[in-house]
Amino acid sequence: MKASSMVASKSNRIKFLVGGGLFVIAVVFLVVSASKATAEFFLTVREVKESTKDLTGQNLRISGAVLGDTISINPDNGLLEFTIAHIPGKESEIKALGGLSLVLHQAVNDPNNPRLDVRYEGSKPDMLKNEAQAILTGTLNAEGVFIAEELLLKCPSRYEEALPDQVE
């Protein structure tokens, strides 16, 4: 009887290990698939324009310079529409080009710079103006228009004068 109970004990241990392993695999699979479904890619306007077909319908986060003369609000539905121009995605590139204010100014004034049309359902933020940096979260529709669900704005020129002088 001892031999049969040892065999049963080993059999139970193997079943436990196999079941535990399957459970771990299932949990890892669920975590990976959930993170892929909710992932947001941070892209530049140039990257979006180069990969429009591949990015359509995906959650994206994009940054660009607002072209002030393109800002319009549809009075019937309150839809806010504007265009953003490409700015570099890396802070080191922005610093090398002279800082954010200069990069935003050059991006808006370069007619050859890639541009992306944006639609946002909501009220017009006070800081939405020419040469502001827009950070947008949303999706790209089939027509290549970015449908923003979240709109954050930075306007470096507004705060430049308020910076104190550095002590040498």
Side-chain angles (χ1 to χ4, degrees):
M1 293 227 335
K2 288 186 176 183
S4 65
S5 67
M6 288 179 76
V7 171
S9 176
K10 283 185 181 181
S11 176
N12 286 340
R13 187 176 300 158
I14 291 172
K15 287 179 186 177
F16 178 76
L17 290 174
V18 170
L22 289 174
F23 178 75
V24 169
I25 290 170
V27 168
V28 168
F29 174 76
L30 290 173
V31 168
V32 168
S33 56
S35 65
K36 282 184 180 180
T38 60
E40 292 178 356
F41 298 100
F42 183 76
L43 300 170
T44 65
V45 171
R46 179 173 285 129
E47 291 169 335
V48 171
K49 297 301 272 186
E50 290 172 353
S51 304
T52 299
K53 290 181 182 177
D54 297 333
L55 298 174
T56 301
Q58 292 187 28
N59 291 329
L60 304 171
R61 185 167 226 173
I62 301 173
S63 177
V66 176
L67 282 75
D69 59 350
T70 65
I71 301 170
S72 67
I73 300 174
N74 185 327
D76 297 331
N77 59 16
L79 195 64
L80 178 62
E81 297 180 345
F82 58 96
T83 301
I84 59 173
H86 170 79
I87 61 172
K90 295 181 180 176
E91 191 173 334
S92 59
E93 290 178 48
I94 292 172
K95 284 182 180 180
L97 293 170
L100 186 58
S101 293
L102 185 59
V103 167
L104 292 170
H105 178 74
Q106 290 172 344
V108 167
N109 292 302
D110 181 358
N112 298 319
N113 202 13
R115 296 176 178 193
L116 181 65
D117 293 329
V118 176
R119 289 189 192 137
Y120 176 70
E121 190 172 328
S123 59
K124 180 184 175 217
D126 291 338
M127 291 180 60
L128 183 66
K129 62 181 187 174
N130 192 47
E131 296 183 14
Q133 179 186 9
I135 301 168
L136 309 159
T137 304
T139 57
L140 194 64
N141 71 11
E143 292 82 40
V145 175
F146 190 77
I147 308 302
E149 296 170 4
E150 184 179 3
L151 169 61
L152 302 172
L153 295 161
K154 286 185 185 179
C155 188
S157 62
R158 182 174 180 176
Y159 302 106
E160 280 179 336
E161 295 171 6
L163 294 175
D165 291 332
Q166 297 296 317
V167 177
E168 294 184 22

